[in-house]
């Protein structure tokens, strides 16, 4: 009921759950369920982050469904036509092009949870730290009730062991 698991090495880990009873067994494999990071902070504060360099290697992209709807670097959709991280959450499956009104593909993306996790920051030597970011959103929904997307901002003070919800944008 409460297994103890140890992972070796850094990075995303595959997790396999096997259940057994008198009638047999079944298993479930999850990708990107656990990420093992180093034990020190990636950055030291105060710190300002920009995606203009194109280097997003220290950002973790969680896409548990392993589908097209995931965060990626965009060269043109950022504030003032700059680079940004963009959640591509729909595409035309017949042409593999992004931005479609293919209702059936879009409908199958419902319930997805994609994560964009910043590098860790050591803010020990800073005071009055703030997280400031720009965001934009567009929808093809025809009625308000069909808009169910949310952007949730979480913080962790213990290297990701626990997370606290700080803001929900809907």
């Amino acid at each position: 009921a409460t297994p103890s698991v140890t992972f070796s090495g850094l990075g995303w880990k595959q997790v396999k759950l096997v259940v057994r009873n008198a009638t047999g067994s079944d298993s479930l494999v999850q990708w990107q369920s656990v990420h093992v990071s180093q034990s020190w902070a990636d950055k030291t504060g105060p710190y300002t982050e920009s995606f203009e360099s194109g280097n997003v290697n220290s950002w973790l992209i969680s896409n548990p469904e392993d589908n097209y709807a995931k965060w990626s670097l965009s060269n043109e959709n950022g504030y003032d036509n700059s680079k940004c991280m963009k959640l591509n959450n729909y595409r035309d499956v017949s042409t593999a092009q992004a931005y479609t009104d293919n209702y059936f593909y879009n409908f199958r993306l419902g319930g997805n949870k994609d994560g964009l996790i910043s590098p860790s920051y050591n803010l020990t030597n800073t005071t009055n730290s703030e997280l400031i970011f720009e965001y934009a959103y567009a929808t093809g929904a025809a009625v308000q009730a069909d808009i169910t997307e949310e952007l949730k901002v979480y913080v962790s003070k213990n290297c990701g062991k626990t997370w606290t919800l700080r803001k929900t944008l809907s």
Side-chain angles (χ1 to χ4, degrees), residues 3 11 14 41 46 50 68 77 79 113 130 132 139 142 150 153 167:
Q14 172 184 322
S50 167
Y68 184 80
N77 299 105
Y79 183 74
K113 292 183 180 180
E130 292 182 287
I132 300 170
T139 182
E150 293 179 323
V153 179
K167 184 79 171 173

Side-chain angles (χ1 to χ4, degrees), residues 9 14 30-31 33 49 78 87 105 107 127 130 139 142 148 157 160:
Q14 172 184 322
Q30 291 285 325
W31 301 93
S33 292
E49 181 75 52
L87 179 61
Y105 181 81
F107 182 75
T127 57
E130 292 182 287
T139 182
T148 58
K157 293 182 180 181

Side-chain angles (χ1 to χ4, degrees), residues 5-16:
V5 180
T6 303
F7 296 97
S8 62
L10 303 176
W12 285 108
K13 303 299 177 184
Q14 172 184 322
V15 178
K16 182 177 182 180

Side-chain angles (χ1 to χ4, degrees), residues 27-42:
S27 64
L28 174 68
V29 175
Q30 291 285 325
W31 301 93
Q32 294 188 350
S33 292
V34 175
H35 186 273
V36 179
S37 297
Q38 68 266 2
S39 59
W40 58 88
D42 296 311

Side-chain angles (χ1 to χ4, degrees), residues 16-83:
K16 182 177 182 180
L17 171 66
V18 179
V19 292
R20 292 182 183 89
N21 62 19
T23 62
S25 68
D26 198 3
S27 64
L28 174 68
V29 175
Q30 291 285 325
W31 301 93
Q32 294 188 350
S33 292
V34 175
H35 186 273
V36 179
S37 297
Q38 68 266 2
S39 59
W40 58 88
D42 296 311
K43 312 285 183 188
T44 302
Y47 188 82
T48 300
E49 181 75 52
S50 167
F51 299 112
E52 289 307 305
S53 70
N55 183 2
V56 295
N57 294 334
S58 57
W59 287 75
L60 298 177
I61 297 170
S62 175
N63 181 243
E65 294 86 7
D66 194 27
N67 59 20
Y68 184 80
K70 62 184 171 187
W71 290 95
S72 61
L73 181 68
S74 171
N75 291 321
E76 59 193 30
N77 299 105
Y79 183 74
D80 199 24
N81 291 323
S82 59
K83 293 182 181 179

Side-chain angles (χ1 to χ4, degrees), residues 133-145:
F133 60 96
E134 304 286 340
Y135 68 95
Y137 172 79
T139 182
V143 294
Q144 182 77 26

